Amino acid sequence: MRELRPLTISNSIKSAPSVLLTPELEKFVFVQPLTQDFILAQTIYSLIHKHFKIEMLEAGMFKLKEVKYLLAEEPEGILTVDDWMDSLWTSKRKFNHLLNPQSLFKMYLVNLFFPVFASTKKLMIPGKKDRFVIDAYPNLSKKEGIQFQPTDFNKLGITKIEFRKLFGYISMEMEQVIDDFLILHHDNLYKDLKYQVSLFPSIRNKYWNELKQCFDQDFKTFAKAEADNYLLKL
């Protein structure tokens, strides 16, 4: 996590978060104070998404009035996928404006195979080719820590017609996306996550008890069946 140097800090006069502007004119928003639980949750979140080669917004740290805060990069014009879903993939021509729709599907595979965060914010950065990125930090299902809660694609929202139309354009590639994801879902990831959790002795047991369930073979079989069934219905 990068320690940020501010050019300016602007405090919000409404309910929006305060903003830090770096000397390179990068915009970061304040998220929350850095607790031990949140640092470990963010470490797990970051490790998983980077392992599966999903682009993330940058997370930063800044100390203000003796309190360390997590900040998240906020590029100009960025939109949440939910706000944007109706606007651009209604035709093949518009679909071709997307750089990495496979990455969006991989984000949902992470939600399916690693259901330990309440939600993950999926974003779109506009440009010559619009591209999908995942937010810099997780949302947790409770104030502290993570919680293993199996889900399915219906609960995740991608059974909606807009998503079916989007992923239908790459239906021939989707099986390979799933296969590639499963190849990376291996013992080294298990070991890397377990090591990161072990660095926090006071909370490692409660974290690992939740996280290790993602590697249970019966659960992985369920998650793969859910992904395969989604492809059949595209």
Side-chain angles (χ1 to χ4, degrees):
M1 191 184 302
R2 171 180 158 200
E3 188 165 356
L4 299 173
R5 295 185 303 113
L7 177 64
T8 62
I9 297 176
S10 59
N11 295 319
S12 172
I13 58 174
K14 298 182 180 178
S15 59
S18 297
V19 174
L20 180 149
L21 194 67
T22 71
E24 296 77 28
L25 304 183
E26 303 162 296
K27 180 181 176 184
F28 285 79
V29 295
F30 283 75
V31 177
Q32 72 166 67
L34 279 171
T35 64
Q36 188 178 49
D37 283 88
F38 191 78
I39 290 171
L40 180 51
Q42 204 275 336
T43 298
I44 292 168
Y45 172 89
S46 177
L47 192 157
I48 290 172
H49 284 92
K50 289 179 179 178
H51 179 81
F52 289 105
K53 300 178 173 63
I54 296 169
E55 183 183 358
M56 296 179 61
L57 292 184
E58 186 177 2
M61 186 273 290
F62 182 68
K63 189 173 183 179
L64 181 65
K65 296 180 180 178
E66 302 307 312
V67 177
K68 290 183 178 179
Y69 288 88
L70 178 110
L71 289 82
E73 179 188 10
E74 189 175 90
E76 193 68 31
I78 196 164
L79 295 169
T80 68
V81 167
D82 288 340
D83 289 340
W84 174 84
M85 70 159 64
D86 296 326
S87 66
L88 197 61
W89 56 55
T90 52
S91 71
K92 181 66 173 177
R93 180 183 61 81
K94 292 180 179 179
F95 170 80
N96 288 337
H97 193 66
L98 299 176
L99 181 64
N100 58 346
Q102 296 88 348
S103 288
L104 179 62
F105 186 63
K106 284 197 291 183
M107 295 174 199
Y108 284 104
L109 289 177
V110 169
N111 293 154
L112 184 66
F113 282 86
F114 297 90
V116 291
F117 306 110
S119 63
T120 57
K121 191 182 293 183
K122 301 157 187 72
L123 305 163
M124 189 276 291
I125 299 178
K128 290 183 179 179
K129 286 277 191 176
D130 299 336
R131 76 183 196 274
F132 296 108
V133 300
I134 197 79
D135 209 353
Y137 63 96
N139 294 308
L140 303 180
S141 57
K142 48 188 177 179
K143 287 186 178 179
E144 295 183 348
I146 61 175
Q147 189 172 14
F148 179 78
Q149 293 183 314
T151 188
D152 56 45
F153 278 153
N154 186 52
K155 292 176 184 175
L156 291 170
I158 64 168
T159 56
K160 296 175 182 176
I161 187 63
E162 295 90 350
F163 285 101
R164 288 187 183 280
K165 179 171 284 191
L166 168 64
F167 294 128
Y169 287 128
I170 55 170
S171 59
M172 301 299 291
E173 303 169 37
M174 296 279 271
E175 186 173 354
Q176 188 62 51
V177 173
I178 294 172
D179 287 345
D180 291 345
F181 186 93
L182 290 171
I183 289 170
L184 287 173
H185 195 332
H186 49 50
D187 286 346
N188 286 343
L189 175 60
Y190 177 96
K191 293 174 184 176
D192 288 346
L193 288 168
K194 190 172 185 179
Y195 172 73
Q196 290 298 326
V197 173
S198 73
L199 299 178
F200 294 77
S202 65
I203 57 176
R204 66 185 176 194
N205 287 340
K206 71 172 183 176
Y207 265 77
W208 189 242
N209 286 340
E210 300 294 327
L211 192 56
K212 70 180 180 182
Q213 296 179 70
C214 300
F215 294 89
D216 177 82
Q217 191 56 52
D218 288 343
F219 170 71
K220 288 174 67 175
T221 299
F222 153 77
K224 184 179 185 305
E226 176 69 13
D228 290 341
N229 188 52
Y230 184 76
L231 293 194
L232 292 175
K233 295 180 178 179
L234 280 180

